[in-house]
Amino acid sequence: MFVPRACAKAAPRWSTSLQAKFLSTSSVRNEVSCTGGAVSSIGDKTPDQPPRPASYTHGFNRSMMVEQFSVMQTQDTFVPPPAKWGGRHTVTLLPGDGIGSEMANHVKELFRYAGAPVDFEEIDLDSTAPDVEGFEYALMSIKRNGVALKGNIETRTSFQGFQSRNVVLRNRLGLFANVVCVKNLPGIRAKQKDVDVVIIRENLEAEYSGIEHESVPGVVESLKIITREKSMRIAKFAFEWATKYNRKKVTAIHKANIMKMSDGLFLECCRITSKEYPDIQFDQMIIDNCSMQMVNKPSQFDLMVMPNLYGDVLSNIACGVIGGPGLVSGTNLGYRYAVFETGARNTGKSIVGQNIANPCAFIRASVDLLNYLKLEHQAHVIEDAVMKTLIEDKVWTPDLGGQATTTDVMQNIVKYVKANA
Ligand code: ATP
């Protein structure tokens, strides 16, 4: 399993057994991951390596953009490497709905200019119908390729009994951790400064179990399922992350004062896990207070771990605090597969075709993907181009307070990519 960059320095491995301890950092650092060289790319970086020559530095912590990757994998499961034929990677591309296909086209264009040896297996799902066949094909494609870049897939609530395909996809691929690293970009108008937080969200259960029924007419029950197994797994993941990427504090977010059993169990798992990490401060906060604190004083948070729905809400708040849905990328990780998408998981349906969508979140997701595939040069070139465009040239779409179109932003990014590829 993989941990997205922003935070990754070494590639830990773990056992599926709940009680199994993670291997020590030092013991895994030099191991060759059987998840494929691609996966362990950032994990192989050690602080004593000379810094990569950066064509551009602006005080922005590149680790936020570059370090997001390392892999954890089961000791007892062979994990095939991401598909690579003739030196080229094949990556599943699910543009999804709304602005997804526009964004996907921009990414394809950038990859071409950057010379990224990536072939996309693009699958358009039909959101006007359940399209079961198409969806199964998409799943098979991700399983074959090991990795995907994805826009958000709309869930038509009119399809009764039809679960969100985003949720089903995460479940079927075992993508149990969603990681969103949120950090201010210099010069970008933000509601708060000094935000540098990693939000780790349990991605498979709790409110997203999808088990709902009407017990008697007018009474609907929705089951929130929290298990010790998945709570321990995500807690372990969070503390491992904190250890690897020098995060000093882990805050567990919950509502255990009301949901004493379910959130109580989640909190207990975090507490138990924290005992194994005496060097990391452990803290807990109730979700309602946390939402307010995230808006008022987000700098107090370092790394946060939480159940599914709280993670959804807080990632969106955090993205909003530093500038909106168009800036931040997010990663879904499991033992075998990694799926890259935007941090706020929006479809942006209301701005389709208007040429005003901010492409940076989707592009940063594609940079995460490139780093994961160990295509670091191409990742670096595209990342730098995005940062120069945003921070130096201030070519901003309306969501950032600018007047530029998506095309303006893309042309500026392409200019740098062409020059440095
Ligand atoms: P839906 O009907 O699915 O809710 P929406 O576009 O109204 O679609 P979201 O997709 O949830 O809503 O997006 C939330 C807000 O963020 C919307 O105002 C949308 O326009 C805006 N937004 C989303 N992505 C971007 C982007 N990349 N650039 C600029 N604005 C964006």
Side-chain angles (χ1 to χ4, degrees), residues 33-186:
S33 160
C34 59
T35 350
V39 173
S40 61
S41 60
I42 303 298
D44 293 337
K45 276 179 190 297
T46 52
D48 45 348
Q49 281 178 319
R52 176 176 32 185
S55 61
Y56 185 72
T57 48
H58 27 58
F60 175 67
N61 181 3
R62 279 178 49 84
S63 68
M64 190 66 191
M65 290 288 289
V66 177
E67 288 182 356
Q68 245 181 0
F69 304 106
S70 83
V71 175
M72 294 184 194
Q73 62 181 79
T74 53
Q75 292 168 337
D76 46 6
T77 314
F78 171 71
V79 182
K84 189 179 179 190
W85 307 104
R88 295 184 68 82
H89 294 272
T90 308
V91 170
T92 305
L93 177 61
L94 300 177
D97 292 298
I99 55 173
S101 60
E102 297 169 29
M103 299 298 113
N105 285 337
H106 294 316
V107 165
K108 286 190 280 187
E109 183 190 5
L110 284 182
F111 277 28
R112 251 194 332 271
Y113 286 124
V118 170
D119 296 315
F120 284 113
E121 186 174 1
E122 187 167 341
I123 300 165
D124 287 309
L125 295 172
D126 180 1
S127 285
T128 61
D131 190 13
V132 176
E133 238 175 65
F135 185 69
E136 288 301 323
Y137 181 77
L139 277 174
M140 191 180 67
S141 165
I142 299 174
K143 287 181 179 174
R144 188 170 54 229
N145 299 326
V147 60
L149 179 64
K150 171 182 171 296
N152 201 36
I153 306 166
E154 192 190 351
T155 306
R156 299 269 166 120
T157 42
S158 53
F159 300 148
Q160 281 301 322
F162 187 65
Q163 244 193 316
S164 155
R165 279 177 283 192
N166 302 297
V167 172
V168 176
L169 187 133
R170 299 198 286 265
N171 285 333
R172 297 268 302 271
L173 298 174
L175 302 168
F176 67 84
N178 176 249
V179 185
V180 178
C181 302
V182 187
K183 185 170 175 164
N184 291 108
L185 297 180

Side-chain angles (χ1 to χ4, degrees), residues 99 103 154 325-326 346-351 356-359 399:
I99 55 173
M103 299 298 113
E154 192 190 351
N346 296 117
T347 54
K349 208 172 63 173
S350 54
I351 52 171
I356 55 168
N358 185 345
D399 55 303

